[in-house]
Amino acid sequence: MIESSDLRLTRMPLNNGSGQMPALGFGTLIPDAGVTKTATRDALEAGFRHFDCAERYRNEREVGEALRAGRAAGRIGREEIFVTTKLWNSNHRPERVEPAFEASLDRLGLEYLDLYLIHTPFAFQPGDEQDPRDQNDNVLYDNGVTLLDTWRAMESLVDHGRCRAIGLSDIGLNDVVPIYASARIKPAVVQVEAHPYLPETELLEFCKEKGVVLLAFAPLGHGMKPGLLEDPVISAIAARIGRTPAQVLLAWAVQRGTAVLTTPRTAARAKENFNISALPEDAFSEINRIQTRQRLNEVVKTGIPGFIAR
Ligand SMILES: NC(=O)c1ccc[n+]([C@@H]2O[C@H](COP(=O)([O-])OP(=O)(O)OC[C@H]3O[C@@H](n4cnc5c(N)ncnc54)[C@H](OP(=O)(O)O)[C@@H]3O)[C@@H](O)[C@H]2O)c1
């Protein structure tokens, strides 16, 4: 358990020596372009320095613009922020990886990426259609490429110098292990849904043993109600220590040794979600004892994103 009271400053070293990831990250899965821009600016102003993007979110351009404007206003250097984006399922063929990476860099307006993730282990039919379907609305998967083929192309990006680290997302331990074993450049980060209802303990143990950062999404249960933000244990702890349920959930995530992504859409919530501090040990243990189990996003089973409109 991490005990530093200022969890906002927690940084996690990456296993390839390329730098450190700020544990508390801002996620950009925001469907509205205007809100993407204001929320990204607000997050930067509140103190967030880690930004999680994806070509599939279709807003890299807006995130890039907001980061440029916000950095200029706050005199924040490129090295002070950590930017991730993700390769979508329809770009798994090795020859499509570098063009997809370059297109993301171009939309974000960046010279390099701190981290590039394979968004899911599921390859869809290659092409520019992000959601390829047959007449019966079934997803068209691509059996002509393996995850290891795609991983090898990701490794080449690191060799070419414009991508500092690579990793996986929406993947279970059984699929992480063989990639980790065969990789020349080991995954630095694994991004998955994780919160007190889905603690992913085995995966976290594996990651800690190998020095891989587990990056948790949906730490607030994706804001669903009823859900984690109204859980009686979380609410009681929040009232007892004078914090909000969101602050309790984010602090728990960082204290247990994961990095975490959250998506506040207003300036007030950005400040609230950035302003986290360590939970007392008894509160931390109480959250670990929560027995409810719930997965909110089935993307890990199908590659079809749960929180993104088609
Ligand atoms: N790899 C993947 O497949 C994957 C999948 C999902 C997400 N992600 C990443 O993870 C990021 C975070 O995921 P998430 O959106 O599920 O995060 P989350 O922070 O668990 O949930 C966001 C929701 O919580 C609400 N919220 C935020 N701050 C709050 C607060 N202080 N009090 C009450 N409600 C609050 C927001 O409500 P309002 O809308 O009202 O502000 C929003 O609906 C995404 O942006 C994305 O970058 C990755």
Side-chain angles (χ1 to χ4, degrees):
M1 171 177 150
I2 292 177
E3 284 175 358
S4 146
S5 65
D6 202 346
L7 298 182
R8 299 171 302 176
L9 304 179
T10 306
R11 297 178 79 85
M12 315 196 63
L14 298 183
N15 59 9
N16 65 353
S18 69
Q20 296 186 330
M21 167 192 264
L24 187 53
F26 173 77
T28 65
L29 174 45
I30 302 174
D32 183 273
V35 179
T36 298
K37 283 192 207 168
T38 55
T40 304
R41 276 289 291 267
D42 291 340
L44 193 66
E45 266 167 42
F48 284 89
R49 292 294 179 266
H50 166 181
F51 296 85
D52 180 79
C53 313
E55 60 170 310
R56 183 67 180 88
Y57 303 164
R58 297 187 179 146
N59 61 0
E60 289 173 307
R61 214 172 281 287
E62 288 79 11
V63 174
E65 277 173 31
L67 287 179
R68 259 193 316 284
R71 282 177 45 215
R75 295 171 188 269
I76 299 165
R78 170 68 183 91
E79 292 288 329
E80 293 174 58
I81 61 168
F82 187 101
V83 183
T84 303
T85 197
K86 312 188 192 82
L87 177 86
W88 183 238
N89 300 353
S90 47
N91 287 323
H92 275 212
R93 293 264 172 158
E95 66 278 12
R96 294 186 67 85
V97 171
E98 188 149 13
F101 170 81
E102 292 293 339
S104 279
L105 266 188
D106 183 57
R107 286 188 294 267
L108 286 162
L110 296 175
E111 295 296 317
Y112 69 89
L113 271 184
D114 297 278
L115 176 67
Y116 198 43
L117 302 177
I118 301 182
H119 201 143
T120 89
F122 296 87
F124 288 179
Q125 175 181 278
D128 295 333
E129 172 54 58
Q130 290 186 330
D131 190 19
R133 303 266 173 160
D134 67 14
Q135 303 96 314
N136 300 319
D137 209 31
N138 296 313
V139 167
L140 293 166
Y141 290 96
D142 178 9
N143 297 321
V145 59
T146 67
L147 190 58
L148 188 57
D149 296 334
T150 310
W151 187 258
R152 295 283 182 237
M154 299 284 282
E155 291 176 326
S156 300
L157 295 178
V158 179
D159 295 337
H160 297 167
R162 302 224 292 158
C163 175
R164 295 192 168 175
I166 49 179
L168 299 161
S169 162
D170 294 326
I171 190 166
L173 181 57
N174 287 348
D175 293 319
V176 172
V177 169
I179 293 290
Y180 187 89
S182 307
R184 174 171 61 82
I185 300 175
K186 303 295 181 196
V189 173
V190 175
Q191 182 180 131
V192 291
E193 176 182 339
H195 42 69
Y197 292 172
L198 188 68
E200 290 284 13
T201 312
E202 261 184 83
L203 180 61
L204 180 56
E205 274 167 20
F206 172 86
C207 286
K208 284 185 176 175
E209 191 190 305
K210 305 291 186 195
V212 176
V213 174
L214 190 153
L215 175 54
F217 74 74
L220 312 182
H222 199 53
M224 287 172 177
K225 291 184 178 174
L228 274 163
L229 287 164
E230 293 173 339
D231 181 278
V233 172
I234 304 296
S235 308
I237 291 171
R240 195 164 82 223
I241 66 174
R243 313 297 291 178
T244 67
Q247 288 169 330
V248 169
L249 288 162
L250 294 168
W252 174 81
V254 177
Q255 262 174 290
R256 72 194 288 253
T258 69
V260 66
L261 296 171
T262 183
T263 309
R265 296 186 209 210
T266 63
R269 279 199 171 159
K271 284 190 191 126
E272 175 187 338
N273 292 9
F274 189 71
N275 183 20
I276 59 169
S277 54
L279 305 172
E281 203 171 330
D282 58 341
F284 181 77
S285 307
E286 244 181 280
I287 299 176
N288 289 335
R289 288 196 297 272
I290 289 176
Q291 295 297 320
T292 307
R293 289 293 171 263
Q294 187 182 14
R295 179 184 294 286
L296 303 169
N297 194 329
E298 296 294 315
V299 61
V300 71
K301 297 179 183 164
T302 60
I304 304 166
F307 303 152
I308 304 176
R310 283 170 62 189

